């Protein structure tokens, strides 16, 4: 009987350890690079100037520290640097976002939204508010811990005197998440 109970204990202990390897909740860190693209209004077919139809308009670099509640939902605190090339505008958004996996297979399709403030760091940075909404695809490494995320984000920034200036952008993002 002692041997049976010892074997049963070892079986359950091994099963618990195997489940601990697949992490479903806890803290994570995410780094992101995004770009927003625009069309070139002066582009003509067969031009001699080397112009392209699609040009880079903005670059966003984001760092996120967050908490994943379960396999479907997570929340994150984001610190981002946004630079718009054509407008020569700098933004430092600090915002909270919520992500929800709408399709949960080995890889996941997710939606997300966020809201926060544009921090003023002097004359070079604009002060205001922003919101963001996006959709993307998340695929995992072999251990189902770390993952890559790719997708699209729409953001709207309000800034300037009484936040009357508005800037909307549609960006493609690539992120790496450490869990």
């Amino acid at each position: 009987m002692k041997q049976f109970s010892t074997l049963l204990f070892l079986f359950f202990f091994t099963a618990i350890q195997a489940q601990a390897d697949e992490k479903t909740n806890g803290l994570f860190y995410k780094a992101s690079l995004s770009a927003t693209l625009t069309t070139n209004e002066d582009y003509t077919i067969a031009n001699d100037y080397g112009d392209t139809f699609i040009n880079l308009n903005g670059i966003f670099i984001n760092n996120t520290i967050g908490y994943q509640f379960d396999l479907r939902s997570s929340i994150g605190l984001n610190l981002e640097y946004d630079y718009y090339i054509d407008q020569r505008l700098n933004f430092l958004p600090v915002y909270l976002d919520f992500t929800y996996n709408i399709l949960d297979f080995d890889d996941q399709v997710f939606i997300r939204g966020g809201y926060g403030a544009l921090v003023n760091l002097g004359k070079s940075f604009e002060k205001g508010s922003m919101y963001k909404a996006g959709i993307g695809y998340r695929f995992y490494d072999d251990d189902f811990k770390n993952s890559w995320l790719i997708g699209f984000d729409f953001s709207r920034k309000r800034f300037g005197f009484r936040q009357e200036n508005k800037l909307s952008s549609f960006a493609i993002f690539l992120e790496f998440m450490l869990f």
Side-chain angles (χ1 to χ4, degrees):
M1 184 69 175
K2 266 186 167 181
Q3 292 174 344
F4 178 74
S5 61
T6 304
L7 286 174
L8 191 61
F9 173 76
L10 287 175
F11 174 76
F12 284 118
F13 181 76
T14 306
I16 290 170
Q17 286 298 96
Q19 289 176 352
D21 289 342
E22 186 177 330
K23 194 170 180 183
T24 59
N25 62 6
L27 292 173
F28 66 85
Y29 169 77
K30 186 168 52 174
S32 172
L33 181 64
S34 302
T36 180
L37 306 172
T38 185
T39 58
N40 184 355
E41 294 175 2
D42 300 326
Y43 178 78
T44 58
I45 297 176
N47 66 48
D48 295 332
Y49 305 109
D51 291 342
T52 59
F53 179 66
I54 297 177
N55 291 333
L56 180 68
N57 185 35
I59 298 174
F60 312 147
I61 300 169
N62 185 342
N63 288 292
T64 305
I65 294 176
Y67 186 81
Q68 184 165 322
F69 298 107
D70 53 24
L71 289 173
R72 290 201 177 256
S73 58
S74 66
I75 191 167
L77 175 63
N78 297 270
L79 177 65
E80 185 172 291
Y81 171 69
D82 299 351
Y83 178 66
Y84 288 88
I85 297 167
D86 291 345
Q87 296 88 351
R88 295 187 179 176
L89 291 171
N90 293 298
F91 297 100
L92 187 68
V94 176
Y95 62 95
L96 286 174
D97 75 341
F98 180 76
T99 303
Y100 185 77
N101 300 324
I102 53 177
L103 297 176
D104 190 14
F105 302 112
D106 285 343
D107 299 328
Q108 300 167 338
V109 175
F110 63 89
I111 56 173
R112 65 183 181 187
Y115 182 79
L118 304 173
V119 179
N120 185 4
L121 291 181
K123 291 182 179 181
S124 297
F125 288 85
E126 301 292 333
K127 181 181 178 182
S129 63
M130 60 122 356
Y131 66 87
K132 188 180 267 196
I135 187 166
Y137 180 73
R138 177 179 177 180
F139 51 96
Y140 291 93
D141 62 2
D142 293 336
D143 297 333
F144 281 92
K145 288 186 180 179
N146 303 326
S147 59
W148 288 93
L149 296 86
I150 188 166
F152 300 102
D153 275 334
F154 171 79
S155 66
R156 175 78 173 219
K157 297 172 178 70
R158 296 179 59 143
F159 59 97
F161 180 70
R162 294 186 184 174
Q163 295 190 16
E164 291 179 358
N165 297 336
K166 299 174 184 92
L167 182 62
S168 299
S169 62
F170 185 73
I172 184 168
F173 65 82
L174 178 64
E175 301 176 345
F176 182 69
M177 183 172 165
L178 296 169
F179 198 29

